[in-house]
Amino acid sequence: AQTVTQSQPEMSVQEAETVTLSCTYDTSENNYYLFWYKQPPSRQMILVIRQEAYKQQNATENRFSVNFQKAAKSFSLKISDSQLGDTAMYFCAFQVGTSYGKLTFGQGTILTVHP
Amino acid sequence: GAGVSQSPSNKVTEKGKDVELRCDPISGHTALYWYRQSLGQGLEFLIYFQGNSAPDKSGLPSDRFSAERTGGSVSTLTIQRTQQEDSAVYLCASSRGVAGGGGTQYFGPGTRLTVL
């Protein structure tokens, strides 16, 4: 079974600054995918970024980037130039690389961006 | 195109009643998932449909929970004899069901169920 751990229940950052959210996972699988999802107060889960475990290059999406350390089973999310709209709950998620597609989620980190 | 839609947005029911929650996936998505989000348990997988294959029901918490997917599209999650611990937000997601996994799951806005 897979487990995902987010050790920071809450984080805060000033607008325009950079913040890093932590995620670690445990698995015996070699082929898998990792995701960061954002859930604002509206409840809508939105994909932020996706990483294939077989790729060494860290994924980036505009202001969002990850630091994927496969050996350490770590998958942190860096948000640069934080904006007020980034305020949300962030979930790290794991998916085994087969057609069995369920996501295993971490507990979530509440991020608040202050003006 | 349109995203994943769910109805109702909110549902309040009395303990012991049955409820049905509906999910309309993105057109063309063959995979459909149900998750439950509660304060105590976080986000939990419930059930997964992929094309015409038998659904993976391994996450259903009890036999009071069931789900079906008609015509490979709309899905209904049914909770019989609701209990207060069933109170949660029920999220539906769909994806293209990419062979080999990794298909991005797109989520609906959820149904907030409150059992009094």
Side-chain angles (χ1 to χ4, degrees):
Chain A
Q2 283 66 234
T3 59
V4 179
T5 302
Q6 293 179 247
S7 58
Q8 305 153 315
E10 294 187 42
M11 294 279 286
S12 64
V13 64
Q14 293 296 127
E15 198 174 6
E17 294 188 346
T18 296
V19 64
T20 299
L21 309 183
S22 300
C23 173
T24 58
Y25 58 94
D26 189 24
T27 184
S28 57
E29 301 284 342
N30 192 49
N31 180 23
Y32 52 87
Y33 299 83
L34 296 162
F35 304 83
W36 278 98
Y37 278 88
K38 165 186 175 181
Q39 187 179 41
S42 66
R43 270 194 339 231
Q44 183 85 48
M45 293 278 279
I46 302 164
L47 178 69
V48 174
I49 201 163
R50 172 180 178 272
Q51 174 80 44
E52 296 94 334
Y54 60 85
K55 287 188 177 179
Q56 291 186 339
Q57 186 174 7
N58 290 321
T60 63
E61 285 289 342
N62 301 314
R63 299 182 295 107
F64 300 88
S65 61
V66 298
N67 182 4
F68 174 48
Q69 301 290 328
K70 190 172 183 179
K73 295 179 181 173
S74 170
F75 182 62
S76 60
L77 174 69
K78 184 171 85 171
I79 306 174
S80 304
D81 185 25
S82 297
Q83 301 177 358
L84 297 178
D86 295 334
T87 292
M89 174 85 92
Y90 287 80
F91 290 96
C92 178
F94 174 101
Q95 182 186 56
V96 175
T98 65
S99 59
Y100 183 87
K102 75 170 188 177
L103 293 172
T104 300
F105 289 91
Q107 305 92 319
T109 297
I110 299 172
L111 175 68
T112 304
V113 180
H114 298 285
Chain B
V4 177
S5 61
Q6 292 186 246
S7 60
S9 177
N10 291 283
K11 176 72 176 179
V12 179
T13 191
E14 293 180 348
K15 177 181 173 181
K17 300 283 190 182
D18 297 352
V19 295
E20 286 190 350
L21 312 180
R22 177 188 167 107
C23 173
D24 256 292
I26 293 172
S27 178
H29 281 190
T30 59
L32 187 147
Y33 314 78
W34 284 96
Y35 295 88
R36 178 169 72 173
Q37 184 174 21
S38 58
L39 282 176
Q41 302 297 323
L43 266 161
E44 307 169 273
F45 163 77
L46 296 177
I47 189 170
Y48 159 60
F49 296 90
Q50 169 61 54
N52 295 321
S53 302
D56 175 3
K57 305 178 183 179
S58 62
L60 295 178
S62 77
D63 58 8
R64 296 185 296 105
F65 287 72
S66 63
E68 63 176 19
R69 188 177 185 192
T70 54
S73 181
V74 171
S75 177
T76 302
L77 177 69
T78 301
I79 309 173
Q80 296 178 310
R81 305 180 302 282
T82 52
Q83 303 294 312
Q84 288 182 331
E85 61 262 29
D86 299 334
S87 296
V89 174
Y90 289 81
L91 294 169
C92 176
S94 71
S95 77
R96 285 199 176 90
V98 175
T104 296
Q105 294 183 22
Y106 296 88
F107 283 80
T111 293
R112 181 178 295 282
L113 175 66
T114 303
V115 182
L116 301 176

